[in-house]
Amino acid sequence: MEYVIGILVGAVIGYITNWLAIKMLFRPYEEKRIFGVKIPFTPGLIPKERKRIARSVGEAIGAHLLTKETILDSLCSDKIKDALSGWVKGEVTKLENSNSTLEDNAKLLLSDHYEEIRQDLEKNITTLVIEEIKGEEFKQVVTSMVSKEVKELLNNSPKALLSSQGYEKIKLNLLNSLDESVKAGTVKENILSLISGKLDSIKENTLEEIIPPTVIGNLKVYMYNKRHDIGKYIQSMLREEKYEIKIKGIIGNVVSSQLNPMIAMFVNPDTIYNKVVDGASEMLETEETLVDVVLILNEILTKITKTKVIDILENIPASEGVSIGEKLYELLLNNLKEYDVIQKVIEALEKNLEENETLGEILAKVGLNVEEDIAKFLESKLNKLFESPELEAGLNKFLSSGLQRFLSTEMKFIFQKEGRDLSLKVSAIALSIYTTFIENKASDFIELFNISKVVEEKINEFEVTYAEEIILEIASKELNAITWLGAVLGAVMGILSPILSSFY
C-alpha cells in the first residue's frame, strides 16, 4: 500500500506540475496584482516576452528559413514557371475567342481612370507627332525623299518618258481638248481677243517697227530675184481686158481734153494703146528696165513700212476690221486642221527631247535646277503648314479617330492569326520578362521586403489567445505527452522514495 500511495501521489504531482507549467507559458495574459503587489509569474512567459520572442522568431526565419536565396530558388522553380505559363496561355486563349473590344478590356483594367488616361494619351500623342513633324529632321527626311525621287526621275531617258502610256494619254488629252475648244468657239474668242489686243498695242508703231528688218530685206531680195517674173506679170496685166479698158479710157480723156478737137478726130485711142503696150512690153524685156521696176517697188515698200498702223486702221471700216480678225482666225484654223500644226510642233519637240540623254540635261539647258527649286518649294510649304492653326486640330481629329478605331477592334481579331500559336509566344515572352525580373531585380525587392521585420510585426499583432491556439494546435500532442511524462516521472519518484527508505 505504501508503494501504491507513493506512485499515485508522485504521478499526480508530476502531472499537475507539468500541466501548470504549460499553462503558465500563456496565462495569465495580463499582469495580476493583490493589494497593489504584483503576483509572481504574471503575466505568463509568452505574453511577457512576446516582443523578444517575436524578434527572435523573425530573425530566425529571415536568417535561416526564408532567406533571399531560398525565396529566389522557389520563385525560379519549374513549378512556378509552369503555373505562370499555363495562366498566360489560358488568358490569351480567352482573348483569342473573345468578342470584347480592346476598349472593353481597358475599361475593366483602368476602371474610373479610363477616360482620363485616354484623353491624356490622345493629347500626348498629338503633341509628340506635332513636335516631330515640326522638327528639322522631319523636313530633311521629306525633302531628301522627294529629291531622291526627282533625281531618279530626271536620270531617266526622254525616250522612256515619251514612250510611256502616261505621256501618250497627256498628248491625246491635249489634242482632244484643242479640238473641243475649236468646236466650242473658245479658241476663236481667244484668238479674236488676242488679235484685237495686239492691234491696240501697236497702233502708234510703224510697220517698220513691228516687222523684223530681215523680213523686209528678204522681201526686197525676193523681188529682185523674181524681176523677170514681175516683168512678165506686168506685160500680161497690160493686156488684160479690164486694164485695157481703163488705159484706153485714160488715153481717150487725155486726147479729148489736151488736143485740138480737129486733131483729136484723127487720133485713135486703140492705136495709141497698142503702141504704148508694145513699147512697154519691149522695154520690160531689158534688164535695165526690170531693175528700175524693182527699185521703184522697193521705194514703194519702204514708204509703206514708214506708215503707222493707226493710219492703216483708220482707213479700214469697223466691219472690215472685224473681218480681218475673222480671216486670220480662219487661216489659223485651216492650218490647224489641214496641216496638223500642233501635231507637228509636238513631234518637233519630241525629236528635240530625244536628242538628250536625260531629262535633267534638258532642264539644265534652259537654266532650271529642279532639285533645288523643289527643295525650296517643299520647305516653304512645310513651314506654312506647320504654322497653320488647323494643323493641330486636324491631327488631333485624325489621331483620335484612329485610336478609337483601334480600341473598337475585337480582341479575337487582334490575337487570332492563321498558322500562329500566339499563346505559346506570349507565354514565352512572359516567362522571359519574369525570369529577367527575378534575376536582376527580385533580390532588391526581397531585401526591401525585410522578412524578419515582417514576421516580427505580424507576431506582435497576434492576440495572446490566438498565439496560444496556434501553438496548442501545432503541439497539442507533444504538450499532452509532456504533461503525462511529468505524471510518469512523478510516479517513478514516488516509488523510489519508499524503496530507498527500506534500505535504512
Side-chain angles (χ1 to χ4, degrees), residues 79-308:
K79 185 177 181 180
I80 294 293
K81 291 181 179 180
D82 291 341
L84 176 61
S85 178
W87 177 79
V88 172
K89 288 180 181 179
E91 293 300 315
V92 172
T93 302
K94 290 180 183 178
L95 293 175
E96 287 178 336
N97 300 303
S98 174
N99 292 323
S100 63
T101 64
L102 184 61
E103 185 175 25
D104 295 335
N105 289 276
K107 287 181 177 179
L108 289 175
L109 179 64
L110 301 175
S111 187
D112 296 337
H113 302 288
Y114 170 76
E115 286 299 330
E116 180 183 354
I117 293 176
R118 184 181 184 278
Q119 292 175 5
D120 289 343
L121 182 62
E122 287 182 11
K123 183 178 180 181
N124 292 335
I125 292 176
T126 302
T127 302
L128 179 62
V129 171
I130 291 176
E131 289 178 353
E132 286 296 322
I133 65 175
K134 282 186 176 182
E136 290 298 325
E137 184 177 355
F138 178 78
K139 295 179 185 177
Q140 292 176 1
V141 170
V142 174
T143 305
S144 176
M145 290 173 60
V146 176
S147 298
K148 181 179 178 182
E149 293 297 325
V150 171
K151 188 174 182 180
E152 292 179 358
L153 176 63
L154 295 178
N155 286 332
N156 290 332
S157 169
K159 293 182 179 180
L161 175 64
L162 296 176
S163 61
S164 65
Q165 294 181 354
Y167 173 76
E168 291 295 332
K169 186 175 181 180
I170 293 174
K171 184 169 72 173
L172 180 61
N173 289 338
L174 175 63
L175 295 174
N176 291 338
S177 177
L178 176 62
D179 185 59
E180 291 176 0
S181 298
V182 170
K183 292 179 180 178
T186 307
V187 173
K188 181 178 180 180
E189 294 176 2
N190 293 335
I191 290 177
L192 292 178
S193 176
L194 179 63
I195 292 173
S196 177
K198 288 297 181 181
L199 289 175
D200 290 337
S201 64
I202 62 174
K203 281 183 178 181
E204 297 299 327
N205 297 99
T206 63
L207 294 178
E208 185 180 27
E209 292 175 339
I210 61 176
I211 298 176
T214 54
V215 174
I216 298 174
N218 290 336
L219 182 58
K220 291 180 178 181
V221 172
Y222 176 80
M223 287 191 296
Y224 179 80
N225 292 334
K226 294 292 183 178
R227 61 189 181 278
H228 295 288
D229 294 335
I230 292 173
K232 291 179 181 179
Y233 175 74
I234 294 174
Q235 289 176 350
S236 63
M237 183 181 66
L238 291 174
R239 294 190 182 279
E240 289 183 7
E241 184 178 357
K242 61 181 180 179
Y243 294 112
E244 180 181 351
I245 295 172
K246 288 183 179 181
I247 293 173
K248 287 180 179 180
I250 294 171
I251 294 173
N253 291 331
V254 171
V255 169
S256 60
S257 61
Q258 298 295 329
L259 297 178
N260 187 284
M262 292 294 294
I263 297 174
M265 292 176 59
F266 299 99
V267 177
N268 188 353
D270 292 341
T271 303
I272 296 175
Y273 166 76
N274 291 328
K275 293 293 183 180
V276 171
V277 170
D278 290 341
S281 297
E282 187 176 338
M283 290 179 64
L284 289 171
E285 295 290 341
T286 64
E287 183 71 22
E288 183 180 357
T289 302
L290 293 175
V291 172
D292 290 339
V293 170
V294 171
L295 291 175
I296 293 171
L297 293 176
N298 286 342
E299 289 179 4
I300 294 173
L301 179 61
T302 301
K303 290 182 179 181
I304 292 174
T305 58
K306 301 294 183 180
T307 306
K308 288 185 176 183

